[in-house]
Amino acid sequence: MTSPAAPDAASTSLVDPTPPERTPRGLLSRLATPSDSATRVSRLGRIFIAIATLEAVTWAGLLVGMFLKYVTETTDHVVTVFGTAHGGAFLVYGALSIVCAIAFRWRWWVTLLALAAAVPPLVTVPLELWMRRRRLLHREPAAASTTVGTPA
């Protein structure tokens, strides 16, 4: 007589019976921390992601401020604060997009897409996710190669 805990030969297989993690936290953690160093986002890419997120957050704050100012007519201070913050984030994002385009050698249409993404509200976040998937932020920027002592 076999014990109920012992697996029989027919039920064992090479396939892992545990389903893959499908929680949003698991998916986000895989995006945030890649498994091997070859797929890691470069330092400049991480800065681009942070500024793109900041630009989207300030856009959202500006939209809330405009709602409070024009719809509810309660206050205009939120527009002042987030308008200033968004203006600065917009300029930094635009300049950083050009720096990244040069450093990562983006194609011209990717550069235009990155610059145009700052105009409509909250589009910079989906754009940077797309760029991550396409590995446009992954390689280290090209460094000046100086080799000393090699024959010409």
Side-chain angles (χ1 to χ4, degrees), residues 8-75:
D8 59 273
S11 68
T12 57
S13 67
L14 297 175
V15 179
D16 186 17
T18 58
E21 190 174 346
R22 296 196 187 275
T23 62
R25 179 175 170 227
L27 293 174
L28 290 177
S29 68
R30 274 186 250 137
L31 275 176
T33 56
S35 59
D36 61 37
S37 62
T39 61
R40 292 196 54 161
V41 175
S42 70
R43 184 177 186 191
L44 184 60
R46 288 191 304 267
I47 294 170
F48 180 82
I49 291 168
I51 297 299
T53 304
L54 178 68
E55 199 273 342
V57 168
T58 58
W59 237 130
L62 185 57
L63 291 174
V64 168
M66 288 190 301
F67 177 81
L68 293 174
K69 181 178 180 178
Y70 296 112
V71 176
T72 64
E73 298 178 353
T74 54
T75 183

Short mmCIF file of all heavy atoms in Angstrom, two decimals, residues 8-75:
data_model
loop_
_atom_site.label_atom_id
_atom_site.label_comp_id
_atom_site.label_asym_id
_atom_site.label_seq_id
_atom_site.Cartn_x
_atom_site.Cartn_y
_atom_site.Cartn_z
N ASP A 8 3.30 8.96 -7.64
CA ASP A 8 3.48 7.79 -8.47
C ASP A 8 4.19 8.20 -9.75
O ASP A 8 4.30 9.37 -10.07
CB ASP A 8 2.13 7.12 -8.76
CG ASP A 8 1.18 8.05 -9.46
OD1 ASP A 8 0.45 8.80 -8.76
OD2 ASP A 8 1.18 8.04 -10.69
N ALA A 9 4.67 7.25 -10.52
CA ALA A 9 5.47 7.52 -11.70
C ALA A 9 4.67 8.25 -12.77
O ALA A 9 5.21 9.02 -13.56
CB ALA A 9 6.04 6.23 -12.26
N ALA A 10 3.37 8.04 -12.85
CA ALA A 10 2.55 8.66 -13.89
C ALA A 10 2.33 10.14 -13.64
O ALA A 10 2.14 10.91 -14.56
CB ALA A 10 1.20 7.95 -13.99
N SER A 11 2.34 10.56 -12.37
CA SER A 11 2.04 11.96 -12.07
C SER A 11 3.27 12.85 -12.10
O SER A 11 3.15 14.06 -12.11
CB SER A 11 1.35 12.08 -10.71
OG SER A 11 2.27 11.75 -9.70
N THR A 12 4.47 12.29 -12.08
CA THR A 12 5.66 13.13 -12.11
C THR A 12 6.00 13.47 -13.55
O THR A 12 5.92 12.65 -14.45
CB THR A 12 6.86 12.40 -11.47
OG1 THR A 12 7.07 11.17 -12.14
CG2 THR A 12 6.63 12.18 -9.99
N SER A 13 6.34 14.73 -13.76
CA SER A 13 6.71 15.17 -15.10
C SER A 13 7.84 16.19 -14.98
O SER A 13 8.20 16.61 -13.90
CB SER A 13 5.51 15.78 -15.82
OG SER A 13 5.15 16.98 -15.18
N LEU A 14 8.34 16.58 -16.12
CA LEU A 14 9.42 17.56 -16.13
C LEU A 14 8.92 18.99 -16.02
O LEU A 14 9.68 19.92 -15.87
CB LEU A 14 10.24 17.40 -17.41
CG LEU A 14 10.94 16.05 -17.56
CD1 LEU A 14 11.62 15.98 -18.91
CD2 LEU A 14 11.94 15.85 -16.45
N VAL A 15 7.61 19.19 -16.12
CA VAL A 15 7.03 20.52 -16.06
C VAL A 15 6.83 20.92 -14.62
O VAL A 15 6.35 20.14 -13.81
CB VAL A 15 5.67 20.56 -16.81
CG1 VAL A 15 5.06 21.93 -16.73
CG2 VAL A 15 5.87 20.14 -18.24
N ASP A 16 7.22 22.15 -14.28
CA ASP A 16 7.05 22.65 -12.93
C ASP A 16 5.57 22.86 -12.66
O ASP A 16 4.91 23.60 -13.39
CB ASP A 16 7.81 23.96 -12.78
CG ASP A 16 7.80 24.48 -11.36
OD1 ASP A 16 7.50 23.70 -10.43
OD2 ASP A 16 8.09 25.67 -11.17
N PRO A 17 5.00 22.22 -11.63
CA PRO A 17 3.56 22.35 -11.38
C PRO A 17 3.14 23.70 -10.83
O PRO A 17 1.98 24.04 -10.85
CB PRO A 17 3.28 21.24 -10.37
CG PRO A 17 4.57 21.06 -9.65
CD PRO A 17 5.64 21.34 -10.67
N THR A 18 4.08 24.49 -10.33
CA THR A 18 3.69 25.79 -9.76
C THR A 18 3.50 26.79 -10.89
O THR A 18 4.35 26.92 -11.76
CB THR A 18 4.76 26.31 -8.79
OG1 THR A 18 5.99 26.42 -9.48
CG2 THR A 18 4.90 25.40 -7.60
N PRO A 19 2.37 27.50 -10.89
CA PRO A 19 2.14 28.48 -11.96
C PRO A 19 3.06 29.67 -11.79
O PRO A 19 3.51 29.98 -10.69
CB PRO A 19 0.67 28.89 -11.75
CG PRO A 19 0.41 28.63 -10.31
CD PRO A 19 1.28 27.45 -9.94
N PRO A 20 3.37 30.35 -12.88
CA PRO A 20 4.23 31.54 -12.76
C PRO A 20 3.51 32.62 -11.98
O PRO A 20 2.29 32.70 -11.96
CB PRO A 20 4.47 31.98 -14.21
CG PRO A 20 3.36 31.36 -14.98
CD PRO A 20 2.97 30.10 -14.25
N GLU A 21 4.29 33.47 -11.35
CA GLU A 21 3.73 34.54 -10.54
C GLU A 21 3.03 35.55 -11.45
O GLU A 21 3.62 36.10 -12.36
CB GLU A 21 4.86 35.22 -9.77
CG GLU A 21 4.36 36.17 -8.74
CD GLU A 21 5.51 36.71 -7.91
OE1 GLU A 21 6.60 36.17 -7.96
OE2 GLU A 21 5.28 37.70 -7.21
N ARG A 22 1.75 35.78 -11.23
CA ARG A 22 0.97 36.66 -12.08
C ARG A 22 0.43 37.87 -11.34
O ARG A 22 -0.42 38.56 -11.85
CB ARG A 22 -0.19 35.90 -12.72
CG ARG A 22 0.26 34.80 -13.64
CD ARG A 22 -0.87 34.36 -14.53
NE ARG A 22 -0.52 33.20 -15.30
CZ ARG A 22 0.11 33.23 -16.45
NH1 ARG A 22 0.49 34.38 -16.95
NH2 ARG A 22 0.40 32.13 -17.10
N THR A 23 0.93 38.11 -10.16
CA THR A 23 0.45 39.27 -9.42
C THR A 23 1.09 40.52 -10.00
O THR A 23 2.20 40.47 -10.54
CB THR A 23 0.82 39.16 -7.93
OG1 THR A 23 2.24 39.12 -7.83
CG2 THR A 23 0.21 37.92 -7.31
N PRO A 24 0.41 41.65 -9.92
CA PRO A 24 1.01 42.88 -10.43
C PRO A 24 2.35 43.20 -9.78
O PRO A 24 3.25 43.70 -10.42
CB PRO A 24 -0.03 43.95 -10.10
CG PRO A 24 -1.31 43.22 -9.99
CD PRO A 24 -0.95 41.84 -9.48
N ARG A 25 2.48 42.87 -8.50
CA ARG A 25 3.74 43.13 -7.83
C ARG A 25 4.86 42.32 -8.46
O ARG A 25 5.97 42.80 -8.65
CB ARG A 25 3.61 42.79 -6.35
CG ARG A 25 4.88 43.03 -5.60
CD ARG A 25 4.67 42.80 -4.11
NE ARG A 25 5.96 42.81 -3.48
CZ ARG A 25 6.36 41.93 -2.61
NH1 ARG A 25 5.56 40.96 -2.24
NH2 ARG A 25 7.54 41.99 -2.07
N GLY A 26 4.58 41.08 -8.83
CA GLY A 26 5.58 40.23 -9.46
C GLY A 26 6.00 40.76 -10.81
O GLY A 26 7.17 40.76 -11.16
N LEU A 27 5.03 41.24 -11.59
CA LEU A 27 5.34 41.78 -12.91
C LEU A 27 6.15 43.06 -12.79
O LEU A 27 7.11 43.27 -13.53
CB LEU A 27 4.05 42.05 -13.68
CG LEU A 27 3.26 40.81 -14.09
CD1 LEU A 27 1.94 41.22 -14.72
CD2 LEU A 27 4.05 39.95 -15.04
N LEU A 28 5.77 43.92 -11.85
CA LEU A 28 6.50 45.18 -11.68
C LEU A 28 7.90 44.94 -11.14
O LEU A 28 8.84 45.62 -11.53
CB LEU A 28 5.73 46.12 -10.75
CG LEU A 28 4.45 46.70 -11.34
CD1 LEU A 28 3.74 47.54 -10.30
CD2 LEU A 28 4.75 47.51 -12.57
N SER A 29 8.04 43.96 -10.26
CA SER A 29 9.37 43.71 -9.73
C SER A 29 10.29 43.15 -10.80
O SER A 29 11.49 43.42 -10.80
CB SER A 29 9.30 42.76 -8.53
OG SER A 29 8.91 41.47 -8.96
N ARG A 30 9.74 42.38 -11.76
CA ARG A 30 10.57 41.90 -12.85
C ARG A 30 10.98 43.02 -13.78
O ARG A 30 12.05 43.00 -14.36
CB ARG A 30 9.86 40.79 -13.62
CG ARG A 30 10.09 39.44 -12.97
CD ARG A 30 9.50 38.35 -13.80
NE ARG A 30 8.37 37.87 -13.04
CZ ARG A 30 7.18 37.58 -13.52
NH1 ARG A 30 6.95 37.69 -14.79
NH2 ARG A 30 6.22 37.17 -12.75
N LEU A 31 10.11 44.03 -13.95
CA LEU A 31 10.48 45.17 -14.77
C LEU A 31 11.53 46.02 -14.08
O LEU A 31 12.45 46.53 -14.71
CB LEU A 31 9.25 46.05 -15.06
CG LEU A 31 8.38 45.66 -16.22
CD1 LEU A 31 7.17 46.59 -16.27
CD2 LEU A 31 9.13 45.72 -17.53
N ALA A 32 11.38 46.19 -12.77
CA ALA A 32 12.26 47.08 -12.03
C ALA A 32 13.64 46.47 -11.80
O ALA A 32 14.64 47.16 -11.82
CB ALA A 32 11.63 47.46 -10.70
N THR A 33 13.71 45.15 -11.58
CA THR A 33 14.98 44.51 -11.30
C THR A 33 15.17 43.35 -12.26
O THR A 33 14.69 42.25 -12.03
CB THR A 33 15.03 43.99 -9.85
OG1 THR A 33 13.92 43.11 -9.65
CG2 THR A 33 14.98 45.11 -8.85
N PRO A 34 15.87 43.57 -13.36
CA PRO A 34 16.10 42.50 -14.31
C PRO A 34 16.95 41.40 -13.70
O PRO A 34 17.70 41.62 -12.76
CB PRO A 34 16.83 43.17 -15.46
CG PRO A 34 16.78 44.61 -15.21
CD PRO A 34 16.39 44.83 -13.79
N SER A 35 16.85 40.19 -14.27
CA SER A 35 17.51 39.04 -13.68
C SER A 35 19.00 39.01 -13.95
O SER A 35 19.77 38.63 -13.10
CB SER A 35 16.86 37.76 -14.20
OG SER A 35 16.96 37.73 -15.62
N ASP A 36 19.45 39.40 -15.13
CA ASP A 36 20.88 39.39 -15.37
C ASP A 36 21.37 40.78 -15.76
O ASP A 36 20.62 41.62 -16.19
CB ASP A 36 21.27 38.36 -16.43
CG ASP A 36 20.63 38.64 -17.77
OD1 ASP A 36 20.51 39.81 -18.14
OD2 ASP A 36 20.28 37.67 -18.46
N SER A 37 22.66 40.98 -15.58
CA SER A 37 23.20 42.32 -15.79
C SER A 37 23.20 42.73 -17.26
O SER A 37 23.29 43.91 -17.56
CB SER A 37 24.62 42.40 -15.22
OG SER A 37 25.44 41.48 -15.91
N ALA A 38 23.10 41.79 -18.19
CA ALA A 38 23.10 42.15 -19.61
C ALA A 38 21.82 42.87 -20.00
O ALA A 38 21.80 43.59 -20.99
CB ALA A 38 23.27 40.89 -20.45
N THR A 39 20.74 42.70 -19.25
CA THR A 39 19.48 43.34 -19.59
C THR A 39 19.18 44.52 -18.69
O THR A 39 18.07 45.02 -18.69
CB THR A 39 18.32 42.33 -19.49
OG1 THR A 39 18.24 41.86 -18.15
CG2 THR A 39 18.51 41.19 -20.45
N ARG A 40 20.17 44.99 -17.95
CA ARG A 40 19.94 46.11 -17.04
C ARG A 40 19.88 47.42 -17.80
O ARG A 40 20.60 47.64 -18.75
CB ARG A 40 21.06 46.17 -16.01
CG ARG A 40 21.00 44.99 -15.06
CD ARG A 40 21.81 45.24 -13.90
NE ARG A 40 21.39 46.50 -13.30
CZ ARG A 40 21.65 46.85 -12.08
NH1 ARG A 40 22.31 46.07 -11.31
NH2 ARG A 40 21.24 48.01 -11.60
N VAL A 41 19.02 48.29 -17.31
CA VAL A 41 18.93 49.63 -17.86
C VAL A 41 20.17 50.40 -17.43
O VAL A 41 20.60 50.31 -16.28
CB VAL A 41 17.65 50.33 -17.36
CG1 VAL A 41 17.59 51.76 -17.81
CG2 VAL A 41 16.42 49.57 -17.82
N SER A 42 20.75 51.15 -18.33
CA SER A 42 21.96 51.90 -18.01
C SER A 42 21.65 53.03 -17.03
O SER A 42 20.49 53.35 -16.78
CB SER A 42 22.59 52.47 -19.28
OG SER A 42 21.78 53.49 -19.77
N ARG A 43 22.69 53.64 -16.52
CA ARG A 43 22.51 54.72 -15.55
C ARG A 43 21.77 55.90 -16.19
O ARG A 43 20.85 56.46 -15.59
CB ARG A 43 23.87 55.16 -15.04
CG ARG A 43 23.81 56.20 -13.98
CD ARG A 43 25.19 56.51 -13.49
NE ARG A 43 25.11 57.43 -12.37
CZ ARG A 43 26.13 58.05 -11.84
NH1 ARG A 43 27.34 57.82 -12.32
NH2 ARG A 43 25.98 58.86 -10.84
N LEU A 44 22.17 56.27 -17.40
CA LEU A 44 21.48 57.35 -18.10
C LEU A 44 20.03 56.96 -18.40
O LEU A 44 19.13 57.79 -18.33
CB LEU A 44 22.23 57.69 -19.39
CG LEU A 44 21.69 58.86 -20.21
CD1 LEU A 44 21.70 60.15 -19.38
CD2 LEU A 44 22.48 59.03 -21.48
N GLY A 45 19.80 55.69 -18.70
CA GLY A 45 18.44 55.21 -18.93
C GLY A 45 17.58 55.32 -17.68
O GLY A 45 16.40 55.67 -17.75
N ARG A 46 18.16 55.02 -16.52
CA ARG A 46 17.41 55.14 -15.26
C ARG A 46 17.07 56.60 -14.97
O ARG A 46 16.00 56.91 -14.46
CB ARG A 46 18.19 54.52 -14.11
CG ARG A 46 18.24 53.01 -14.16
CD ARG A 46 18.77 52.40 -12.88
NE ARG A 46 20.09 52.89 -12.50
CZ ARG A 46 21.24 52.32 -12.84
NH1 ARG A 46 21.25 51.24 -13.57
NH2 ARG A 46 22.38 52.83 -12.43
N ILE A 47 17.99 57.51 -15.31
CA ILE A 47 17.70 58.94 -15.13
C ILE A 47 16.57 59.35 -16.06
O ILE A 47 15.66 60.09 -15.66
CB ILE A 47 18.98 59.77 -15.38
CG1 ILE A 47 20.01 59.48 -14.29
CG2 ILE A 47 18.66 61.26 -15.44
CD1 ILE A 47 21.38 60.05 -14.57
N PHE A 48 16.60 58.86 -17.31
CA PHE A 48 15.52 59.16 -18.26
C PHE A 48 14.18 58.66 -17.73
O PHE A 48 13.17 59.36 -17.82
CB PHE A 48 15.83 58.54 -19.62
CG PHE A 48 14.79 58.81 -20.65
CD1 PHE A 48 14.78 60.00 -21.35
CD2 PHE A 48 13.79 57.88 -20.92
CE1 PHE A 48 13.80 60.26 -22.30
CE2 PHE A 48 12.82 58.13 -21.86
CZ PHE A 48 12.82 59.33 -22.55
N ILE A 49 14.15 57.46 -17.17
CA ILE A 49 12.92 56.90 -16.63
C ILE A 49 12.40 57.75 -15.48
O ILE A 49 11.21 58.05 -15.39
CB ILE A 49 13.15 55.43 -16.18
CG1 ILE A 49 13.37 54.54 -17.40
CG2 ILE A 49 12.00 54.92 -15.32
CD1 ILE A 49 13.89 53.17 -17.06
N ALA A 50 13.30 58.19 -14.60
CA ALA A 50 12.89 59.01 -13.45
C ALA A 50 12.32 60.35 -13.91
O ALA A 50 11.28 60.80 -13.42
CB ALA A 50 14.07 59.22 -12.52
N ILE A 51 12.97 60.99 -14.88
CA ILE A 51 12.50 62.29 -15.35
C ILE A 51 11.19 62.14 -16.13
O ILE A 51 10.29 62.98 -16.03
CB ILE A 51 13.59 62.99 -16.19
CG1 ILE A 51 14.81 63.29 -15.32
CG2 ILE A 51 13.06 64.27 -16.83
CD1 ILE A 51 14.54 64.20 -14.14
N ALA A 52 11.06 61.06 -16.89
CA ALA A 52 9.79 60.81 -17.61
C ALA A 52 8.65 60.61 -16.63
O ALA A 52 7.53 61.11 -16.84
CB ALA A 52 9.93 59.60 -18.53
N THR A 53 8.91 59.91 -15.55
CA THR A 53 7.89 59.70 -14.52
C THR A 53 7.57 61.01 -13.82
O THR A 53 6.39 61.33 -13.58
CB THR A 53 8.37 58.66 -13.50
OG1 THR A 53 8.71 57.46 -14.20
CG2 THR A 53 7.30 58.35 -12.47
N LEU A 54 8.59 61.80 -13.50
CA LEU A 54 8.38 63.10 -12.87
C LEU A 54 7.55 64.01 -13.78
O LEU A 54 6.65 64.72 -13.31
CB LEU A 54 9.72 63.75 -12.54
CG LEU A 54 9.65 65.15 -11.92
CD1 LEU A 54 9.05 65.08 -10.52
CD2 LEU A 54 11.02 65.78 -11.89
N GLU A 55 7.84 64.00 -15.07
CA GLU A 55 7.09 64.82 -16.01
C GLU A 55 5.61 64.41 -16.02
O GLU A 55 4.73 65.27 -16.03
CB GLU A 55 7.70 64.68 -17.42
CG GLU A 55 7.34 65.78 -18.37
CD GLU A 55 6.05 65.55 -19.12
OE1 GLU A 55 5.58 64.40 -19.18
OE2 GLU A 55 5.49 66.52 -19.65
N ALA A 56 5.35 63.12 -15.98
CA ALA A 56 3.96 62.64 -15.96
C ALA A 56 3.26 63.00 -14.64
O ALA A 56 2.08 63.38 -14.64
CB ALA A 56 3.92 61.13 -16.18
N VAL A 57 3.96 62.90 -13.54
CA VAL A 57 3.37 63.23 -12.23
C VAL A 57 3.04 64.72 -12.16
O VAL A 57 1.95 65.10 -11.68
CB VAL A 57 4.32 62.80 -11.08
CG1 VAL A 57 3.88 63.39 -9.75
CG2 VAL A 57 4.38 61.29 -10.99
N THR A 58 3.95 65.56 -12.65
CA THR A 58 3.65 66.99 -12.63
C THR A 58 2.52 67.34 -13.59
O THR A 58 1.74 68.26 -13.32
CB THR A 58 4.90 67.82 -12.95
OG1 THR A 58 5.41 67.45 -14.23
CG2 THR A 58 5.97 67.64 -11.88
N TRP A 59 2.40 66.61 -14.70
CA TRP A 59 1.26 66.80 -15.62
C TRP A 59 -0.04 66.49 -14.87
O TRP A 59 -1.03 67.22 -14.98
CB TRP A 59 1.39 65.88 -16.82
CG TRP A 59 1.40 66.52 -18.17
CD1 TRP A 59 2.32 66.28 -19.14
CD2 TRP A 59 0.46 67.44 -18.73
NE1 TRP A 59 2.01 67.02 -20.27
CE2 TRP A 59 0.88 67.74 -20.04
CE3 TRP A 59 -0.68 68.06 -18.26
CZ2 TRP A 59 0.20 68.61 -20.88
CZ3 TRP A 59 -1.37 68.93 -19.09
CH2 TRP A 59 -0.93 69.20 -20.38
N ALA A 60 -0.04 65.36 -14.15
CA ALA A 60 -1.25 64.97 -13.41
C ALA A 60 -1.60 66.01 -12.36
O ALA A 60 -2.77 66.37 -12.19
CB ALA A 60 -1.04 63.60 -12.76
N GLY A 61 -0.60 66.52 -11.66
CA GLY A 61 -0.85 67.57 -10.68
C GLY A 61 -1.39 68.84 -11.31
O GLY A 61 -2.29 69.49 -10.77
N LEU A 62 -0.88 69.18 -12.48
CA LEU A 62 -1.38 70.35 -13.20
C LEU A 62 -2.83 70.15 -13.65
O LEU A 62 -3.65 71.08 -13.56
CB LEU A 62 -0.48 70.64 -14.40
CG LEU A 62 -0.78 71.90 -15.19
CD1 LEU A 62 -0.72 73.14 -14.29
CD2 LEU A 62 0.21 72.04 -16.34
N LEU A 63 -3.16 68.95 -14.08
CA LEU A 63 -4.55 68.66 -14.46
C LEU A 63 -5.49 68.77 -13.26
O LEU A 63 -6.60 69.32 -13.38
CB LEU A 63 -4.66 67.27 -15.10
CG LEU A 63 -4.01 67.12 -16.48
CD1 LEU A 63 -4.05 65.67 -16.92
CD2 LEU A 63 -4.69 68.02 -17.49
N VAL A 64 -5.06 68.27 -12.11
CA VAL A 64 -5.86 68.40 -10.89
C VAL A 64 -6.01 69.87 -10.53
O VAL A 64 -7.10 70.34 -10.17
CB VAL A 64 -5.23 67.60 -9.73
CG1 VAL A 64 -5.88 67.94 -8.40
CG2 VAL A 64 -5.33 66.11 -9.99
N GLY A 65 -4.93 70.61 -10.64
CA GLY A 65 -4.98 72.04 -10.34
C GLY A 65 -5.92 72.80 -11.26
O GLY A 65 -6.67 73.68 -10.82
N MET A 66 -5.92 72.45 -12.55
CA MET A 66 -6.83 73.12 -13.49
C MET A 66 -8.28 72.76 -13.19
O MET A 66 -9.17 73.60 -13.32
CB MET A 66 -6.46 72.76 -14.93
CG MET A 66 -5.18 73.44 -15.37
SD MET A 66 -4.81 73.32 -17.12
CE MET A 66 -4.73 71.59 -17.39
N PHE A 67 -8.51 71.52 -12.74
CA PHE A 67 -9.86 71.13 -12.34
C PHE A 67 -10.32 71.97 -11.15
O PHE A 67 -11.44 72.48 -11.12
CB PHE A 67 -9.92 69.64 -12.00
CG PHE A 67 -11.26 69.17 -11.52
CD1 PHE A 67 -12.26 68.88 -12.42
CD2 PHE A 67 -11.51 69.04 -10.16
CE1 PHE A 67 -13.51 68.45 -11.98
CE2 PHE A 67 -12.75 68.62 -9.72
CZ PHE A 67 -13.75 68.32 -10.63
N LEU A 68 -9.42 72.10 -10.16
CA LEU A 68 -9.78 72.89 -8.97
C LEU A 68 -9.97 74.36 -9.30
O LEU A 68 -10.81 75.04 -8.71
CB LEU A 68 -8.70 72.73 -7.89
CG LEU A 68 -8.57 71.34 -7.26
CD1 LEU A 68 -7.38 71.30 -6.32
CD2 LEU A 68 -9.85 70.97 -6.53
N LYS A 69 -9.20 74.88 -10.23
CA LYS A 69 -9.29 76.30 -10.56
C LYS A 69 -10.50 76.62 -11.43
O LYS A 69 -11.23 77.58 -11.15
CB LYS A 69 -8.02 76.75 -11.28
CG LYS A 69 -8.01 78.23 -11.63
CD LYS A 69 -6.70 78.63 -12.29
CE LYS A 69 -6.71 80.11 -12.62
NZ LYS A 69 -5.45 80.54 -13.22
N TYR A 70 -10.73 75.83 -12.46
CA TYR A 70 -11.75 76.19 -13.45
C TYR A 70 -13.10 75.50 -13.25
O TYR A 70 -14.12 76.05 -13.61
CB TYR A 70 -11.25 75.90 -14.86
CG TYR A 70 -10.06 76.75 -15.22
CD1 TYR A 70 -8.81 76.17 -15.39
CD2 TYR A 70 -10.18 78.12 -15.37
CE1 TYR A 70 -7.71 76.94 -15.71
CE2 TYR A 70 -9.08 78.90 -15.69
CZ TYR A 70 -7.85 78.31 -15.87
OH TYR A 70 -6.77 79.09 -16.18
N VAL A 71 -13.11 74.30 -12.67
CA VAL A 71 -14.38 73.58 -12.50
C VAL A 71 -14.98 73.87 -11.14
O VAL A 71 -16.12 74.32 -11.03
CB VAL A 71 -14.20 72.06 -12.73
CG1 VAL A 71 -15.49 71.32 -12.46
CG2 VAL A 71 -13.70 71.79 -14.15
N THR A 72 -14.22 73.62 -10.09
CA THR A 72 -14.77 73.85 -8.75
C THR A 72 -14.59 75.29 -8.28
O THR A 72 -15.24 75.70 -7.32
CB THR A 72 -14.11 72.92 -7.72
OG1 THR A 72 -12.73 73.24 -7.62
CG2 THR A 72 -14.30 71.46 -8.09
N GLU A 73 -13.69 76.02 -8.94
CA GLU A 73 -13.39 77.41 -8.60
C GLU A 73 -13.05 77.60 -7.12
O GLU A 73 -13.50 78.54 -6.48
CB GLU A 73 -14.53 78.33 -9.04
CG GLU A 73 -14.77 78.33 -10.53
CD GLU A 73 -15.92 79.21 -10.96
OE1 GLU A 73 -16.65 79.74 -10.10
OE2 GLU A 73 -16.10 79.35 -12.17
N THR A 74 -12.26 76.67 -6.59
CA THR A 74 -11.90 76.74 -5.18
C THR A 74 -10.54 77.40 -4.96
O THR A 74 -10.40 78.22 -4.07
CB THR A 74 -11.88 75.34 -4.54
OG1 THR A 74 -11.02 74.50 -5.31
CG2 THR A 74 -13.28 74.76 -4.49
N THR A 75 -9.52 77.01 -5.75
CA THR A 75 -8.18 77.55 -5.53
C THR A 75 -7.40 77.54 -6.83
O THR A 75 -7.67 76.73 -7.71
CB THR A 75 -7.42 76.76 -4.46
OG1 THR A 75 -6.16 77.39 -4.24
CG2 THR A 75 -7.22 75.32 -4.84
#
